Amino acid sequence: MHNRALITGVTGQDGSYLAELLIAKGYEVHGLRRRSSTFGTGRIEHLIFGESPQLQLHYGDLSDGNGLVRLIREIRPTEVYNLAAQSHVRVSFDQPAYTADVTAVGTLRLLEAIRDVQDDTGEQIRFYQASSSEMYGKVLETPQKETTPFYPRSPYGVAKVYGHWITINYRESYGLHASCGILFNHESPRRGETFVTRKITRAATRIKLGLQKKLHLGNLDSQRDWGFAGDYVEAMWLMLQQDKADDYVIATNELSSVRDFCEQTFARLDLDYREFVEIDPRYYRPAEVDLLLGDSTKARTRLGWRPRTNFPQLVDMMVEGDLALARQEALIQGLTPSVRKAA
Ligand code: NAP
Ligand code: GDD
């Protein structure tokens, strides 16, 4: 059968890596994009321009259920990857109802659209839900695995718990081939600039080139299990290739703190983070998630998945990407010879 995928959230970090992966595997790939006043396609430009674009974009929104039905009827995908979300934890405290509408109920709208079209056509549509380690929140067990109970600590975490359980409910009630990937934090040079890792690599490289003086952060003590987004999208695809749908934790099983990330990033640039990082309470959260550490044994044994990038390699990759950006920025600004030399 011809493989045809629809990716929601295709303009985001994971969407861009997943689109590349599926194109490389010979899929016909479609992506959902929101209307915005700017292009917003920076991460996927290499896939949508040229004589024969490899990725076909469609306007749509997870808040528009009718639009989703229409789109799925038109595209007739064999696989749907639901990566779209209001995905920022801090922002979810400022926009809790919006986050619930998109991240939680949006998942339900998409599942309903799939159920409708699948019932009409009789063709199976496999579904992937982007669940999150943020659901473990104030963790009840360490490391966290598929059986660890959830204790979300943010409106985003609560919304993801709904998305997770409604996906399982549709699997059990209607026999949908629907799987949830409980992904721990994953980063890349394409990571949004307001997430902490990218904020650090972006600032440190700009500081190195004299484009910025300080980096303001919140809680340096929180600990995460950070992996590389390019490795994690392979796990999404693997889940949909199984005969039976199921849920899997995807993680590196290694822990680092925000402070460690700062230290390593600045050290690679021969800088001491303590001279540049300042604490700004504005970046504290009303309720914090102190520690997330995954146990991905199930994915490793059943899917044959494993991460290929370790923490130092991830930091290197992100520093390199942001150094290139900072150099361009410095050149555009037309700088003094001494700064150009440092670049
Ligand atoms: P991201 O970079 O923030 O991308 C989110 C995507 O969702 C963007 O394409 C965004 O479009 C789209 N979107 C937002 N609201 C939408 C709406 N109402 N309708 C349609 N599309 C909408 O996130 P990511 O890091 O790639 O993460 C992908 C998914 O995995 C998300 O669901 C996230 O919550 C989840 N997740 C991420 C991690 C992680 O560490 N990265 C870990 C666990 C789970 P615009 O480009 O127009 O904003
Ligand atoms: N964003 C941000 N900005 N976080 C900061 C800052 C800052 O200035 N200073 C400290 N932190 C701390 C946060 O308080 C949090 O404990 C940690 O750094 C990580 O923050 P983020 O990078 O924003 O990620 P997150 O863990 O809250 O959420 C990400 O991972 C989830 C998976 O667990 C997002 O990608 C979610 O979409 C994803 O589900």
Side-chain angles (χ1 to χ4, degrees), residues 42-57:
R43 295 182 176 103
I44 47 172
E45 250 155 39
H46 56 299
L47 305 175
I48 56 175
F49 291 127
E51 275 182 17
S52 52
Q54 298 164 287
L55 167 65
Q56 300 176 50
L57 294 181

Side-chain angles (χ1 to χ4, degrees), residues 174-216:
Y174 307 116
L176 286 196
H177 190 295
S179 298
C180 302
I182 308 173
L183 270 54
F184 282 63
N185 297 51
H186 46 280
E187 321 293 311
S188 73
R190 299 183 196 167
R191 183 59 144 152
E193 295 184 10
T194 59
F195 296 98
V196 78
T197 54
R198 186 78 199 285
K199 187 173 168 184
I200 295 167
T201 56
R202 191 86 178 95
T205 49
R206 295 185 84 245
I207 287 170
K208 178 72 181 173
L209 297 200
L211 294 162
Q212 182 173 335
K213 289 197 173 4
K214 294 285 178 192
L215 165 59
H216 295 99

Side-chain angles (χ1 to χ4, degrees), residues 237-297:
W237 175 77
L238 280 169
M239 284 177 218
L240 297 207
Q241 310 319 304
Q242 307 307 305
D243 289 339
K244 203 166 162 292
D246 205 344
D247 311 314
Y248 299 88
V249 161
I250 301 299
T252 68
N253 311 357
E254 281 176 25
L255 200 60
S256 311
S257 66
V258 173
R259 191 185 305 282
D260 296 333
F261 201 97
C262 286
E263 198 177 343
Q264 295 219 19
T265 300
F266 280 82
R268 270 165 183 67
L269 298 161
D270 299 317
L271 300 172
D272 182 344
Y273 81 97
R274 289 170 298 188
E275 291 174 28
F276 304 100
V277 172
E278 288 184 357
I279 302 303
D280 185 336
R282 274 184 312 154
Y283 296 111
Y284 289 150
R285 293 165 181 192
E288 179 60 288
V289 171
D290 297 320
L291 180 151
L292 293 174
L293 174 64
D295 175 352
S296 53
T297 306

Side-chain angles (χ1 to χ4, degrees), residues 19-138:
E20 284 173 1
L21 179 82
L22 297 180
I23 288 166
K25 288 187 181 297
Y27 278 60
E28 178 184 320
V29 185
H30 297 258
L32 185 80
R33 76 185 294 196
R34 297 194 283 177
R35 194 270 154 182
S36 91
S37 64
T38 55
F39 282 122
T41 49
R43 295 182 176 103
I44 47 172
E45 250 155 39
H46 56 299
L47 305 175
I48 56 175
F49 291 127
E51 275 182 17
S52 52
Q54 298 164 287
L55 167 65
Q56 300 176 50
L57 294 181
H58 307 263
Y59 283 108
D61 198 298
L62 284 195
S63 61
D64 175 9
N66 291 339
L68 294 174
V69 175
R70 215 170 25 246
L71 209 58
I72 289 177
R73 230 178 256 296
E74 181 190 314
I75 297 170
R76 305 274 283 266
T78 53
E79 296 175 7
V80 172
Y81 295 85
N82 183 31
L83 309 186
Q86 189 306 91
S87 72
H88 203 282
V89 173
R90 178 67 192 83
V91 170
S92 77
F93 286 99
D94 299 329
Q95 297 192 292
Y98 174 75
T99 302
D101 187 39
V102 172
T103 305
V105 185
T107 305
L108 171 67
R109 293 188 186 101
L110 192 54
L111 284 163
E112 274 288 274
I114 288 170
R115 186 161 78 95
D116 267 18
V117 177
Q118 193 174 280
D119 280 355
D120 285 357
T121 62
E123 292 166 7
Q124 188 186 57
I125 303 172
R126 296 187 173 195
F127 179 75
Y128 172 85
Q129 167 62 9
S131 289
S132 165
S133 53
E134 181 71 13
M135 302 189 300
Y136 297 119
K138 192 172 178 184

